[in-house]
Amino acid sequence: MRTLREIKKIYENKEANVKEVVESYLEKIKEWEPYINAFLHIPYEDIEKQVKELESKSPNLPLYGIPIAIKDNILTKNIKTTCASKILENFIPPYDATVVKRLKENGAIIIGKTNLDEFAMGSSCENSAFGPTKNPWDIERVPGGSSGGSAACVSAGEVPVSLGSDTGGSIRLPASFTGVIGLKPTYGLVSRFGLVAFASSLDQIGPFGRTVEDIAITLQIIAGHDPMDSTSSPYEIPNYLEGLGKSVKNWRVGIPKELWYKGVSEEVLKTLENSFDVFKEMGVTIEEISLPSLEYALPVYYIISTSEASSNLARYDGVKYGYRDFTAEDIISMYKQTRGKGFGSEVKRRIILGTYALSAGYYDAYYLKATKVRRLIRMEFEEAFKKVDIIASPTSPVLPFKLGERISDPLQMYLTDIMTIPVNLAGIPAISMPAGFYNNLPVGIQFMSSFFTEDKLLQFAYAYQQFVDFSKKYPTLPNKERV
């Protein structure tokens, strides 16, 4: 259970070699997995190959010998990528996603693929076709979704860092529920080439870690223009580590009244009260702001995301790759039966919603109008960042809930993401930090900043972690009686 810098120190002092460090993490995975089901695949043969290949590489690489877990909707060459769906159960990609390629080039060991809600659709990690992931702090509760596996494995100490994807809060919500840090970068900062698309205008890959420094190191590797992704920005990447430790005195923190209090549980508010005292100790000023269009964020998000999902998932028809139903008597029946048996209920629900919103006669009323409101939300954020440096809000309105508690009520489940969705609609960066615990359950606080100001966001988050640091607080292995 070490940070990236601590693992590097071990190598520098020759206290252990890469094989020994990787084996120690595999042992930790072996201990925890029967309880939390964070991983879908551990590619033991490929790990051995990666460790051997590192022998010919420089130990000065920034991620040399660091075990990293990858969400199972990000392509990994010769390692299964299922998106936690039956329809891709046996799919083995022939190439790596750009982020995976960059991690490997910088010395990282891809130690496994993590569980998620099927095709990243969900807020609890219960929609996986291969069983839910459980929260390491209480295995009767959800870890949040959709990147629940990537968050839970960092929380339990199975890996120091992992990657997830965030379409409406899928990194930040599970980070909040499991007591770790999760960053959703600016849209276009990190290449999406090799990320299985859910909603293309909202998806973004980002890291999980236990310290802001680990997040900054990982972001430094995966950020940057990629000619393979037409939405990738040519923005010049700054040194994200340079600002860590610098003062944030006199910075202005905006508190949007639309994201505090209304709909937020007493338990979450009580835990976050302490953050205002921390802000004062940091020397920042607090200002109440208003983002009035946020009340429309949830419906706008579900119209746009389901519309794009219905289009993106049309490719899974049993013809090109993945599962095919061979009992069908004709091609139309084959399409229907393949998709009917291959997709889970949440994915089907979103495909139907999206197809309806895009259908003739409804496109202007739903999709087009939603994109216009999205523009308003983005403009309000732009105006807000002319007045304040950082915007703060709870990451989740509620504590981690129990498995099965919301699965039969889609609206209640969708409301879990109400604090995180506006960030994806605007395209700005945001980070979730552990802010405290309520009855041993983690509570997260979300910080947002303007476009491509991840350096500023990380500087603020680092300063906050100097006062509120839970990086050494780990859940304990559950007793067998609790399983």
Side-chain angles (χ1 to χ4, degrees), residues 333-386:
S333 301
M334 191 277 287
Y335 288 151
K336 288 179 179 176
Q337 289 172 209
T338 293
R339 289 167 68 80
K341 293 177 183 176
F343 290 135
S345 57
E346 182 60 30
V347 172
K348 288 177 195 168
R349 182 182 296 119
R350 297 196 190 201
I351 289 174
I352 291 168
L353 281 170
T355 304
Y356 179 80
L358 290 179
S359 59
Y362 295 102
Y363 176 88
D364 288 354
Y366 293 107
Y367 187 77
L368 187 62
K369 190 170 284 185
T371 58
K372 289 178 179 176
V373 180
R374 176 186 189 168
R375 178 65 186 153
L376 278 179
I377 291 171
R378 181 185 171 116
M379 288 167 63
E380 284 179 6
F381 272 109
E382 286 175 338
E383 284 301 311
F385 285 119
K386 290 176 183 173

Side-chain angles (χ1 to χ4, degrees), residues 26 37 51 56 90 94 114 117-118 123 217 220 259 261 268 272 308 323 334 384 408 415 422 440 473:
L26 287 174
N37 192 35
V51 171
S56 61
N90 298 310
T114 56
D117 287 296
E118 185 178 7
S123 307
I217 292 170
Q220 197 75 52
L259 294 180
Y261 312 115
V268 170
L272 292 184
E308 294 182 9
Y323 169 76
M334 191 277 287
S408 59
L415 283 168
N440 208 37
K473 186 176 170 70

Side-chain angles (χ1 to χ4, degrees), residues 167 187 192 198-203 231 304-305 308 312 367 374 424-425 427:
T167 305
Y187 183 79
R192 293 186 300 110
F198 159 18
S200 305
S201 72
L202 301 165
D203 298 338
T231 62
I304 291 175
S305 66
E308 294 182 9
N312 279 324
Y367 187 77
R374 176 186 189 168
N424 299 77
L425 292 173

Side-chain angles (χ1 to χ4, degrees), residues 84-159:
S85 177
K86 289 283 183 189
I87 212 161
L88 286 177
E89 188 171 5
N90 298 310
F91 177 61
I92 299 176
Y95 61 91
D96 282 323
T98 296
V99 289
V100 174
K101 189 166 172 260
R102 289 178 177 174
L103 291 175
K104 285 183 176 176
E105 287 172 349
N106 284 279
I109 303 283
I110 307 304
I111 203 167
K113 302 300 291 292
T114 56
N115 204 2
L116 65 152
D117 287 296
E118 185 178 7
F119 282 99
M121 297 179 189
S123 307
S124 63
C125 214
E126 292 174 284
N127 294 323
S128 168
F130 309 111
T133 294
K134 298 170 185 176
N135 194 319
W137 290 97
D138 181 348
I139 58 171
E140 293 181 355
R141 294 177 186 268
V142 303
S146 64
S147 310
S150 292
C153 68
V154 173
S155 175
E158 294 178 314
V159 288

